């Protein structure tokens, strides 16, 4: 079974992580999963949102968005429409939750890290690329705070990476580009820590409902993909 | 191990489904999971959204919302704030996807069913109660269309129910009320068909990341809960 | 002259006031005028809006809204449209003014009571049902503040009830359901105190302008209706 | 009993109606009630809103607004706030209803007249000045349509004028400026036809509830005021 | 070469500046450039925006808007649309920048002057009329602050006036009304100080791009126009 | 006189134009003026806005926006704020007008080209970089339409480029980065055609008003800069 782009079912697309793509943000990278291209930036600032003031705890928040010409057909700008769409909201919340899973709020102290994941080009898997890239930007922003003496301990308790998996014509496949994504019967996004545990599992029956066996096969594939991504993140951060 | 409200870990809260709670909607019910109370209504209308016109296929859409005084502290109205929040968007999309999983668009023809799930009182598990109740309203709206001769076949391909599960102090538990929900390390919402397959699996590590064993235990518990809910739905629709 | 539903012109529809329908609000009731069903809730909180701080005076505010499937044809959600409509605004303001007429701000102290009137089902007279029910919720919220020692006197200076009246085929009639409301030449909403004085009189010529004689006849009918509603409120609060 | 500005209780402020204040609108006037100054314009256009198409009936709609510096303290612009306030909505609806009371939709044919009432300076009674001036603009726009051969009969069935009345220190008074308005115990806006019948009666107990005797006294005073305004409208239109 | 309205190419339309057109604002005028009519108001208040607090410096801000019936075809209200349009934004910013060019923030102290320029009737050149009139309102508001002892020096460092110029059929012309404006190949708005220096130069090629010779000719014409307007402003302020 | 970054007053920053940076858009480039980095994309689609239908003429529209982390301090997203800011509106309009100056609408036929200029990193001159890059994207999109046989002639009548100039400490300088921009007494953005004529001239006195001599010096400098940029555009399009 070969795929349109020549990959085996359990193979990632070519992954590139270009660190420090921006000059102003405390951490940033341009992450590429094949033709999917997401600019991830992390800005660290003193203080926390009002509801958290005086707690001694930090906060991490995330916003995901897509440029109008990232997609095949130009899509209207959310700023011009005057509201954030449901899909954008949903993914922003997912990115935020995923990254917060590896943050020690106490060690972070009353500082906030804002993650921005802007999709410059979309070809499937934008939310998982965003999470994978955001981790790299986050790690750099945390390191920046550490060098500035703003932390009281190790604020990063682990690493986090994400990948999409799906069943196409009965075969579980890793890291779906757009052409595969629209054909998938079941679609799953899996966020995992560097030590192989789950942070988020979001499986959706796009066509027919799926059973436990299919779920298990997808999770195993995702486990392999996240392990590969974890190695690439580590490499990028070591440079 | 007993719970604050006396239930065993694998026991649902008292569930009530009061069908036809409204006079105007083509299908409706007030569904109660303990003190969580959601008014579900389905209105069927001729025609489909513009992007689906001429396809011969129907559509099902859903909106979830919460009354300001449903929660412990009154929360501001989204209409007054002028925008729908991220959580509302995310749940509305989940409810819509879940119900569409049991719809045969061709048999539905160019008709739209709009589901409204309004939380009158919230005590945990509002999204899963909404899905469980929305199915009952949907079934009645489909039957209404059938009686009106608007369908070209059986538009409902199965039933759908949902429940929340979570791990509290290391124990997997079924159907969490608010007091348990805030304490859960891992929280999962599972949507299943009446024949025991998965429609949506959404697991989130609120505290520590979780492993495959924990995931499996939660899915098994959810399977039992959804089976119980399916029986209650069937009973309500038989009345 | 008998009406479609068998009532005499000066007879109310069956009225039900189910107190404490909600668990979290400090006062609440489900009020029913025939098939019109409004959930009224009052939440009391410390503090007042910014423009009133330091005055020693309290505040009462109200919001009225309608669920999308309350009406015959589903109406779009104001939160999704991103703005509150003119009718909603107008009625919210009317409910607030009406209830404030029986509040002693000084005795209330710097506390705010927020009233929410959500129409679950609409069959004419939703605004008058909302006012009538909101008074019961308000009375319970004031009593709650009293028991908590937050008042410096009797914050409630009287009771308030409201009813719609209209002229149909030349006959003045009390408490119009939807089918009568659309046929009324003149439509009036009257808000009165328990001792029979006027708080609000809003008369509108829907068809032909009306004269003083017609106005007087309508006001007399409204006086009778409000007296009946006052008795029912008292009964509900005595339970 | 004399008033601060030297008037007797049943006397209007100096009223000025400057017709055709604008060049583009089909009807317009600058109406002044003392220092209250409202620019009223009527634009006639072919066609009706979507929900009225094919009915053969016309439509009249109105929008009321206030310039930021019309009031003592500058008030923020609603366009900048991004939403129309409740008071604005309420008054726009009142103006529209009031003018529609003297329109024969069939004679108007499928044409729409849009009324704009912009308060340039506010000193009490802006909504009643708006209605009084809007009638003059409307009459000119109807005449314009008539000359253009767009009407099938007399689209204007009468005239309409409006005035505020209130009780101050126990005395009913006509046409309240701001300084009196804030002191009024009861405040009423009355819209009447040229032949002395009621189109709208909106009475509000600002301080204490009012009784039937007070209501009658206020209505009588309003009747006199509206008759005077009707004469002034006729005079302006005769010029 | 004579123009449709009989003017020579370098002649302004009849200009009228009616000072103190409003009673509440600290400065105001109705400015007319032919049939273009703009109500300019300046309100002075203590305090500055948050980002300027503690600086000891004042602030001047401006908002430009157009009444719906100012134009030939009624244009929808921005408050009703729920957003300020691009053109409105652009002109508001231009008016603010232009007036701030003659303000000494230190002498103004921590006071804010808000300028509102509302176009009551539009016939070309509304933005330049707005700036010209706003200066008169600003001067009165500054004088008001001076009399109130709120200034620490001369807050007004000069005067400012503005005019539009354009090339029509190859001829540079001053102060274009609407009929000329739509025909202009090049359109320029020029804001100048009373002593003949430039504050803003905004030239736009509506038809063909323009060269340096045309630019110079337009600037010279604008210089003459602004000098004439400066004299009229001085006269108005001397009254 | 040397500048902080070593340039002479009449020297551009290093300019890079990376064509076809995106896969989906019909034309695109990443344009860099020093550290300012703007992603420009042009999408061509059949049809024109409603107000232009049936005219046989095409349309070109533009939107400019800035990513939140493009600036030194992260700025909030306009989609989240729910409205487009004045600066964004103003620049979007400028970009659209500038590119339309070299379009022959008739030759374009009823097709629309939408330009998106998204600032990925900001260091002064973002609007002029946007125009310069947008021209390259536009040229490619027009060529694409030409190859598809959708044009009836040469839709592009010339080229367009833009640059900022300003006076710093009395010296006119070309292409200001952020550190110079904030210090400039006068700031001017100039848009020119490839044959050296003006499309837009926008000069603003940030500090003191400027005279004709300063204006002339700035325009000459801009002329040189635009000529250099025109050469770079031609080179990029020749590759």
């Amino acid at each position: 079974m070969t795929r349109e782009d020549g990959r085996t079912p359990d193979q990632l697309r070519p992954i590139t992580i270009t660190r420090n793509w921006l000059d102003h943000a405390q951490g940033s990278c341009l992450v590429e999963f094949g033709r999917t291209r997401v600019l991830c930036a992390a800005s660290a600032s003193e203080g926390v949102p009002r509801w958290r003031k005086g707690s001694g705890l930090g906060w991490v928040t995330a916003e995901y968005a897509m440029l109008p010409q990232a997609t095949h057909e130009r899509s209207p700008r959310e700023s011009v429409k005057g509201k954030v769409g449901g899909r954008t909201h949903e993914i922003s919340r997912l990115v935020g939750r995923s990254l917060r899973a590896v943050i020690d709020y106490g060690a972070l102290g009353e500082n906030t890290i804002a993650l921005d994941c802007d999709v410059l080009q979309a070809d499937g898997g934008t939310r998982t690329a965003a999470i994978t890239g955001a981790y790299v930007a986050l790690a750099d922003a945390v390191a920046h705070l550490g060098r500035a003496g703003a932390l009281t301990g190790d604020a990063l308790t682990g690493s986090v990476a994400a990948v999409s998996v799906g069943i196409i014509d009965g075969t579980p496949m890793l890291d779906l580009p757009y052409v595969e994504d629209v054909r998938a019967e079941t679609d799953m996004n899996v966020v995992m820590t560097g030590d192989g545990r789950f942070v988020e599992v979001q499986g959706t029956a796009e066509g027919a409902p799926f059973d436990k066996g299919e779920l298990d096969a997808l999770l195993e594939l995702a486990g392999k993909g996240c392990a590969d991504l974890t190695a690439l993140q580590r490499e990028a951060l070591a440079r």
Side-chain angles (χ1 to χ4, degrees), chain A residues 114-190:
Chain A
L115 296 162
D116 286 285
C117 300
D118 286 89
V119 180
L120 305 187
Q121 186 161 279
D123 186 29
T126 61
R127 79 188 69 187
T128 48
I131 292 167
T132 304
Y135 168 71
V136 173
L138 176 68
D140 274 327
V142 167
H144 169 91
L145 285 173
R147 286 191 304 274
L151 305 179
T152 65
D154 197 353
L156 212 54
T157 64
S159 78
V160 99
V163 79
S164 76
V165 285
I167 298 178
I168 295 167
D169 299 335
T171 307
M173 292 192 178
L174 182 67
D175 187 19
L176 315 184
Y178 180 73
V179 288
E180 290 180 356
D181 192 49
V182 293
R183 290 182 48 219
E185 293 112 48
T186 294
D187 187 18
M188 188 170 290
N189 292 294
V190 181

Side-chain angles (χ1 to χ4, degrees), chain A residues 159-162 190-194 196-200 219 222-223 226 230:
Chain A
S159 78
V160 99
V190 181
V191 186
M192 297 181 76
T193 53
R197 284 177 302 155
F198 298 103
V199 168
E200 282 269 343
L219 290 175
C226 284
T230 298

Side-chain angles (χ1 to χ4, degrees), chain A residues 23-24 32 51 58 77 88 97 101 130 133 141 159 161 169-170 190 229 235:
Chain A
D23 293 323
H24 308 317
E32 295 167 89
W51 51 271
R77 240 168 242 278
T88 300
R97 276 199 314 270
S159 78
D169 299 335
V190 181
L229 291 166
E235 215 174 280

Side-chain angles (χ1 to χ4, degrees), chain A residues 79-91:
Chain A
S79 59
V80 170
K81 290 200 291 183
K83 49 182 155 186
V84 172
R87 181 181 175 280
T88 300
H89 257 147
E90 187 174 313
I91 301 180

Side-chain angles (χ1 to χ4, degrees), chain A residues 67-110:
Chain A
L67 291 195
Q69 306 222 11
T71 44
H72 280 83
E73 297 288 302
R74 182 183 186 276
S75 40
R77 240 168 242 278
E78 294 188 329
S79 59
V80 170
K81 290 200 291 183
K83 49 182 155 186
V84 172
R87 181 181 175 280
T88 300
H89 257 147
E90 187 174 313
I91 301 180
S92 292
R93 287 160 57 86
L94 170 65
V95 177
R97 276 199 314 270
S98 297
L99 276 299
R100 285 194 290 271
V102 291
I103 285 292
D104 177 331
Y105 294 132
L108 185 53
E110 290 206 8

